[in-house]
Amino acid sequence: MGQKKPIKRHKAMQPLSREHHQGLLLSWKIRTGISKGVAAERIKTYLNWFYTTHLVPHFEAEEKLIFPILGNDHELVKKAIAQHRRLERLFNTSTDLDRTISLIEEELEAHIRFEERILFNKIQTEANEQQLETIAKLHPESKFTENSNDVFWE
């Protein structure tokens, strides 16, 4: 089998892709916590922090800065926005935590893979230099700050 070539991400979109990496790590943390039998309430506390601190601003940046490049009526953008809304509902759910946490883990990872492998590639090919400069200016690189109050995955 041939090895997939790594995706070459435009410099302006790299900060958003690095944020996706943190989202994939979140899915891994959830899986690890579940496999260790960590109480769902502990995992959910971390998820609430991650959602508010990282996901809400990330979704806003995508929806305001990069999705308009294709337009909100584009089928790939519609799919991404629908996934954002679904994830928002899951993160804001406080009942049936075991099921909800598992759904967040699965759907977040699938969403990130979709954006990285399909949507971001399409946006990158359609964006002009001015649009990419605007993204770079309005969404610069920022350092991920971990919440180490309860590192349940360790």
Side-chain angles (χ1 to χ4, degrees):
M1 272 191 154
Q3 184 136 1
K4 284 187 178 179
K5 284 175 47 177
I7 296 168
K8 181 75 173 139
R9 188 66 62 224
H10 188 281
K11 187 175 169 102
M13 293 180 67
Q14 287 176 5
L16 288 160
S17 285
R18 280 192 259 289
E19 291 169 13
H20 282 163
H21 177 72
Q22 292 302 325
L24 293 174
L25 283 176
L26 177 62
S27 290
W28 173 84
K29 290 170 185 176
I30 294 168
R31 284 192 303 275
T32 303
I34 290 170
S35 72
K36 290 182 169 202
V38 173
E41 292 76 16
R42 285 177 62 196
I43 297 172
K44 183 66 166 105
T45 297
Y46 182 84
L47 291 178
N48 291 345
W49 168 83
F50 190 94
Y51 174 72
T52 303
T53 307
H54 295 288
L55 270 188
V56 169
H58 177 81
F59 286 175
E60 287 174 358
E62 288 180 333
E63 292 176 19
K64 289 179 182 163
L65 294 174
I66 67 165
F67 293 177
I69 292 168
L70 295 181
N72 287 344
D73 289 331
H74 192 283
E75 66 180 275
L76 296 176
V77 172
K78 284 181 177 180
K79 179 177 179 176
I81 290 172
Q83 290 174 346
H84 283 184
R85 298 304 164 261
R86 168 75 174 148
L87 285 163
E88 288 167 358
R89 284 192 302 276
L90 287 171
F91 274 96
N92 287 307
T93 297
S94 56
T95 56
D96 197 2
L97 286 185
D98 290 326
R99 181 176 182 276
T100 299
I101 289 168
S102 288
L103 288 171
I104 288 171
E105 182 273 319
E106 292 171 14
E107 294 187 28
L108 180 63
E109 183 165 335
H111 170 69
I112 292 169
R113 302 269 184 224
F114 161 71
E115 283 192 345
E116 279 297 318
R117 293 175 180 164
I118 299 168
L119 180 58
F120 274 30
N121 287 342
K122 179 69 173 165
I123 288 169
Q124 194 169 277
T125 61
E126 299 290 323
N128 62 42
E129 206 50 47
Q130 182 180 5
Q131 290 167 319
L132 292 166
E133 285 175 21
T134 299
I135 293 167
K137 186 173 85 177
L138 296 178
H139 195 78
E141 190 73 46
S142 63
K143 186 175 178 351
F144 179 82
T145 304
E146 181 62 88
N147 177 352
S148 54
N149 291 338
D150 180 5
V151 287
F152 62 84
W153 56 91
E154 289 185 351

